[in-house]
């Protein structure tokens, strides 16, 4: 498809780079799921929360609950908060941004290329949209694990029966979400795959992430230092906006379908 006369040049530039690329890596953050109704971590408001969660959001910011220390201090409160979020993720639907990334993977694959999708999101919406090559950097809220044995379980789509939930695997254990909290190591396999993909790619995209949480925030510069063309789509400027080759201020649910259409659409 030819760019429209009024097509913003950065979108057309990004589309051209994607069309010419063989290996593409995208890293996604909470902004990509915002259009599915899931709140982001930074800059969130409390207006539409259920009454029993209002106090939690007023008293704590999400990042301060995402720590082992918070869980140790008050496992009932932290697991209740995570269970509420788990049910929200299960009820949410993938949006056009998720769908465009699944389509991008399909188009690249059909041409002998690859898309490696590094996600900081724990909601599994990429997989539900059809993406198959997804690296979960911060784990998943859909699965929970035993604090004593590490064994994983996928709880039903109903509220947990008790908070904190007892482990079904060990009478002395609790269940916690299988996510990565501040101060915890990212899964080794995910970190290795992400690093290798960033070093080897032709194009690296940062999508809907504030790019402040490490090590995830380092991959764009790593890719750039190995010769990749780098792009960003975000509603706001981020710490990497000035170092990427093209930075686009837009909703990912609007810009990604357009970029994929420009790159691979007929016409
Ligand atoms: C839209 C939009 C739309 C909205 N369209 N855009 C180096 C330097 C400094 C610090 C560190 C460092 N290395 C490590 C650290 C410490 C720490 C860290 O990074 N701290 C910084 C905050 C200062 N990192 C860690 O602790 C990590 N672990 C680690 O490094 O371990 C080392 C170790 C090794 C060996 C043994 C032990 C330890 C772990 C980080 C884990 C992060 N976990 C969380 C919670 C996950 C579980 C949960 O869901 O609750 O992950 S925190 C939270 O932030 C979550 C997110 O994945 C992550 C990133 O947030 P994200 O996705 O970018 O969202 P937001 O809300 O920040 O931004 C949304 C963006 O979207 C905004 O920019 C909007 O504008 C935009 N947007 N709508 C487009 N429609």
């Amino acid at each position: 498809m030819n760019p429209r006369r009024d097509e913003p040049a950065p979108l057309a530039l990004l589309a051209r780079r994607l069309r010419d690329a063989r290996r593409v890596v995208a890293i996604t953050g909470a902004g990509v799921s915002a259009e599915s109704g899931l709140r982001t971590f930074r800059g969130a408001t409390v207006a539409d929360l259920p009454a029993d969660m209002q106090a939690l959001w007023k008293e704590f910011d999400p990042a301060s609950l995402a720590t082992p220390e918070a869980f140790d201090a008050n496992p009932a409160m932290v697991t209740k908060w995570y269970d509420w979020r788990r049910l929200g993720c299960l009820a949410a639907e993938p949006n056009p941004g998720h769908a465009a990334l699944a389509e991008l993977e399909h188009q690249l694959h059909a041409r002998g290329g690859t898309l490696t999708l590094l996600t900081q999101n724990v909601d599994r919406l990429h997989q539900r949209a059809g993406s198959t090559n997804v690296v979960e950097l911060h784990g998943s809220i859909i699965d929970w694990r035993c604090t004593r044995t590490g064994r994983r379980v996928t709880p039903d789509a109903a509220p947990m029966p008790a908070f904190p939930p007892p482990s079904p695997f060990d009478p002395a254990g609790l269940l916690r979400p299988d996510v990565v909290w501040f101060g915890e190591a990212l899964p080794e396999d995910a970190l290795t795959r992400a690093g290798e993909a960033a070093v080897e790619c032709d194009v690296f995209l940062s999508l809907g992430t504030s790019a402040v949480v490490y090590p995830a925030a380092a991959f764009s510069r790593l890719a750039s230092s190995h010769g990749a063309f780098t792009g960003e789509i975000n509603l706001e400027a981020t710490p990497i906006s000035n170092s990427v080759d093209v930075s686009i201020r837009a909703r990912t649910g609007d810009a990604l379908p357009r970029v994929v259409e420009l790159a691979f659409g007929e016409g």
Side-chain angles (χ1 to χ4, degrees), residues 30 35 41-42 82 85 120 138 180 183-184 209-210 214 234:
E35 291 162 64
F41 289 87
R42 293 160 190 92
Y82 272 96
R85 286 184 49 210
Q120 299 170 86
H138 293 165
V180 181
E184 293 185 324
T209 174
S210 56
Y214 285 83
N234 198 305

Side-chain angles (χ1 to χ4, degrees), residues 14-244:
L14 190 51
R16 210 161 52 237
R17 290 297 190 145
L18 287 173
R19 197 169 44 231
D20 294 343
R22 281 186 72 78
R23 281 180 281 210
V24 177
V25 176
I27 186 163
T28 60
V32 171
S33 292
E35 291 162 64
S36 295
L38 300 180
R39 66 187 45 240
T40 61
F41 289 87
R42 293 160 190 92
T45 62
V46 294
D48 58 338
L49 285 183
D52 63 336
M53 284 291 147
Q54 286 279 1
L56 221 51
W57 282 84
K58 278 182 185 148
E59 199 175 340
F60 301 99
D61 81 278
S64 73
L65 284 176
T67 66
E69 291 77 18
F71 177 72
D72 289 344
N74 196 339
M77 180 186 69
V78 171
T79 52
K80 188 176 182 197
W81 185 69
Y82 272 96
D83 199 43
W84 171 76
R85 286 184 49 210
R86 177 182 73 91
L87 295 174
C89 292
L90 289 172
E93 292 296 333
N95 66 56
H98 295 109
L101 287 167
E103 175 65 13
L104 179 59
E105 179 184 320
H106 175 75
Q107 292 291 344
L108 288 166
H109 189 70
R111 290 161 176 77
T114 58
L115 172 66
T116 304
L117 196 46
L118 314 179
T119 189
Q120 299 170 86
N121 298 343
V122 297
D123 53 38
R124 294 256 161 94
L125 287 177
H126 286 305
Q127 291 91 331
R128 285 173 53 200
S131 290
T132 63
N133 194 17
V134 183
V135 179
E136 292 178 329
L137 293 171
H138 293 165
S140 169
I141 203 170
I142 305 304
D143 297 334
W144 289 46
R145 70 172 193 261
C146 172
T147 53
R148 299 267 298 190
T149 65
R151 285 181 66 183
R152 292 184 173 80
V153 61
T154 307
D156 294 341
M160 301 270 191
F163 298 105
S167 167
F169 306 116
D170 186 318
L174 298 175
L175 284 182
R176 57 156 283 181
D178 192 29
V179 299
V180 181
W181 284 328
F182 282 116
E184 293 185 324
L186 275 62
E188 202 176 309
D189 175 55
L191 208 48
T192 303
R193 283 177 68 192
E196 287 175 359
V199 161
E200 291 168 358
C201 69
D202 310 309
V203 174
F204 187 100
L205 303 177
S206 298
L207 306 169
T209 174
S210 56
V212 296
V213 174
Y214 285 83
F219 290 123
S220 176
R221 287 198 183 91
L222 178 65
S224 178
S225 71
H226 284 80
F229 178 88
T230 53
E232 171 182 62
I233 302 175
N234 198 305
L235 283 177
E236 299 171 359
T238 75
I240 63 167
S241 296
N242 288 332
S243 58
V244 293

